[in-house]
């Protein structure tokens, strides 16, 4: 009994070859949840009195001829993350960390390019400030 590792696997009757199969489209809300979770991870630990980040996502089809055929046509996601941060702190560094983490996680988990991550700081909170209080 010999095995030939260089030969292609025989086609299984009734199965569609990989190049002819469809693709999986990941819903915008799933990508938004991935992005929001990644933002939480980037600014962890999240103080109890801060609202968790939330994200909105715009998934666009990849232009024809810009990527390999086996890639999903829904391969580009533009992300907007809204969050609250504690003040004082390095706001720029935290926003940069959110951008990096969101790009990495959406790229890894959803197999999408993320050319743009907009981070909107909705509110800065002083230590000990309660939710709903305006300064």
């Amino acid at each position: 009994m010999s095995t030939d590792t260089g030969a292609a696997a025989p086609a299984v009757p009734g199965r569609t070859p990989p190049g002819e199969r469809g693709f999986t489209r990941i819903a915008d809300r799933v990508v938004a949840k991935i992005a929001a979770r990644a933002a939480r991870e980037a600014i962890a630990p999240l103080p109890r009195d801060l609202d968790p980040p939330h994200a909105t996502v715009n998934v666009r089809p990849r232009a024809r001829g810009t990527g390999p055929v086996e890639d999903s046509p829904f391969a580009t996601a533009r992300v907007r993350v809204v969050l609250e941060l504690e003040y004082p702190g390095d706001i720029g560094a935290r926003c940069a960390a959110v951008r990096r983490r969101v790009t990495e996680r959406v790229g890894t988990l959803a197999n999408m390019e993320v050319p743009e991550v907009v981070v909107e700081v909705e509110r800065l909170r002083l230590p000990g400030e309660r939710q709903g209080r305006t300064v």
Side-chain angles (χ1 to χ4, degrees):
M1 182 180 256
S2 69
T3 58
D4 183 13
T5 58
V12 177
R15 284 211 178 159
T16 306
E20 297 176 16
R21 295 180 195 157
F23 59 88
T24 302
R25 184 184 187 287
I26 300 174
D28 293 8
R29 70 178 183 271
V30 173
V31 179
K33 286 183 180 185
I34 292 169
R37 176 67 176 240
R40 271 193 304 276
E41 292 169 359
I43 60 174
L46 190 65
R48 296 182 69 116
D49 60 339
L50 290 184
D51 290 335
H54 63 275
T56 58
V57 175
N58 184 4
V59 177
R60 296 198 177 195
R62 180 189 297 270
R64 289 182 183 253
T66 60
V69 175
E70 59 272 358
D71 282 352
S72 165
F74 298 95
T76 302
R78 298 198 186 283
V79 179
R80 176 181 216 82
V81 178
V82 179
L83 48 90
E84 293 183 0
L85 294 175
E86 283 188 308
Y87 187 81
D90 190 347
I91 297 166
R94 295 190 89 183
C95 290
V98 168
R99 281 188 203 92
R100 281 191 303 274
R101 186 67 175 168
V102 167
T103 301
E104 171 196 331
R105 298 299 283 168
V106 171
T108 301
L109 296 175
N111 193 28
M112 293 182 170
E113 291 178 23
V114 185
E116 178 181 27
V117 177
V118 176
V119 178
E120 180 181 330
V121 178
E122 188 173 69
R123 183 178 171 106
L124 296 173
R125 293 205 186 221
L126 296 171
E129 183 180 350
R130 294 187 177 184
Q131 191 171 2
R133 181 177 166 207
T134 58
V135 177

